[in-house]
Amino acid sequence: MAAIDTAYHYYLDTYANQSTSRYDSHKKSELRNIYNNIVKINKDAPLYKIKRSPDVKKFAIDIKESTRLIQNVVASLSDAEEGIGNAFQKKLAYSSQEDVVSANYVGNGNSSNNSDGFTIEVKSLATSQINQGNFLDKNRLNLKPGSYSFDLENNVSAYEFQFTVNADDTNFSIQRKLAGLVTNADIGLNAAIAENADGLTALQIESTATGIGPDETFLFSISPQGNHDSMTAIDALGIDRVAQEAQNAVFVLDGTEQHMAYSNTFLLDNSFELTLHGTSPDGNPATVGFKTNADAMTDNIQTLVDSYNSVLQTASKYSKSQPQSIQLYKDMSSAAFAYQSSLEEIGLMVEDDGSISIDNDALRETVSASDYEENLSVLNDFKNLLSVKAKNASLDPMRYVDKVLVTYKNPGKNFATPYITSIYSGMMMDTYC
């Protein structure tokens, strides 16, 4: 049987590291509405077979993710209570020293906290704990064949790890075996093999968490079990030695009050998401504040345009292996072509292929004019139509993949098939099952 996890691997490799937003959370009523729409689509959908292609799963995942991005952007620009100007003036944070600290405004726009900005001086970054083993000759074997075990304790639980050394093993194969054992245990630790200039290798174990609580002395500790062989093995490997202790991030706000954080990314006053990248030069703090209305509007419009272009790029990417992707291009680009002349009047140039490029000078002139709300009204219509197109594509991504129609269902006499979410779940299954 062929492997069934390629789709999941692709998703994790491509999208797992992307941050989520509050627009990825939904009310029960919203989820119920999505479910009802899926049922309605599948009730009368024809039966078809998907042509066997390694790109099918990737294409469907890319459609889901690119349309999700559009819906999130549109949602973020629809929070304003009144006026298109308010929507595209959504507050955006800036930092005067992006290499030291970057800022993202996550507030609702109604809070007066930090309305004039603040300064932040980063004294030190939050660090993880690293245990560095001994550097050993990778082609030799410093342990005698047999079974060994050691205890690994973190601030939540204690674990026992067991491993076997065979006569044909080497120090390198044992280190590689232990690296996989620790990492795959999924207990908040990553293990890797480090090599020095002399070609010797050592096992390095690092915590995924950073920072340390006031009542904690370590994030994890390794100790041999109470027998001579295990103590000899851990002593030879040296993985019980702490090479770097976990530390908290330390920073000063507005030059007076010192703060600490366990992570280098944290929320401040539930309004700013700050990410620390480096320490501040002495006496030179970074300033975090809000971009001007004109800058915020142009950046928000750029974000909307980028999310739209990303869907067209997805369609183009699979145009050879999935000819039906042309339908995705037509569906999404029709939103831009419908308002082409009005969009180009404000500086959003619709190209022949449907993509949008921005004339920055023309757009800045538009958003700086006294009647900018009237000029930007077309953006409200464009984003609303784009949201509808993205929602439809997200509900049924398999309509855009190459497939063979088998039969149509008998109209009006069909049962709902809610568990076949537009065959999207089915495409994850093994085609040989």
Side-chain angles (χ1 to χ4, degrees), residues 76-140:
S76 72
L77 297 176
S78 303
D79 281 345
E81 295 181 357
E82 59 181 15
I84 185 65
N86 288 337
F88 283 91
Q89 282 181 14
K90 182 173 71 82
K91 288 184 175 181
L92 293 178
Y94 80 93
S95 168
S96 63
Q97 299 178 22
E98 289 285 345
D99 57 334
V100 174
V101 55
S102 56
N104 180 33
Y105 181 68
V106 295
N108 57 18
N110 298 321
S111 174
S112 60
N113 292 341
N114 298 308
S115 58
D116 296 326
F118 56 91
T119 63
I120 176 171
E121 184 175 0
V122 182
K123 297 294 187 180
S124 63
L125 297 178
T127 60
S128 58
Q129 178 181 329
I130 299 177
N131 278 26
Q132 177 75 60
N134 297 325
F135 283 94
L136 306 174
D137 187 334
K138 64 170 66 175
N139 298 316
R140 295 185 57 188

Side-chain angles (χ1 to χ4, degrees), residues 15 58-59 62-63 66 309-319 325 328:
Y15 297 106
K58 296 179 181 179
F59 184 33
D62 287 347
I63 293 174
S66 58
N309 286 338
S310 71
V311 181
L312 299 190
Q313 291 167 3
T314 295
S316 175
K317 177 181 176 181
Y318 294 95
S319 59
S325 66
L328 175 64

Side-chain angles (χ1 to χ4, degrees), residues 140-153:
R140 295 185 57 188
L141 180 59
N142 288 35
L143 303 178
K144 65 180 182 180
S147 297
Y148 301 90
S149 59
F150 61 91
D151 294 325
L152 193 153
E153 180 183 357

Side-chain angles (χ1 to χ4, degrees), residues 385-399:
L385 178 57
L386 191 58
S387 177
V388 172
K389 299 286 186 181
K391 179 181 178 181
N392 291 338
S394 177
L395 286 173
D396 190 6
M398 304 310 289
R399 66 183 292 197

Side-chain angles (χ1 to χ4, degrees), residues 228-248:
H228 180 268
D229 287 344
S230 292
M231 288 187 285
T232 301
I234 296 303
D235 183 60
L237 293 170
I239 56 176
D240 57 338
R241 186 178 68 254
V242 177
Q244 174 182 288
E245 295 184 351
Q247 293 183 347
N248 297 327

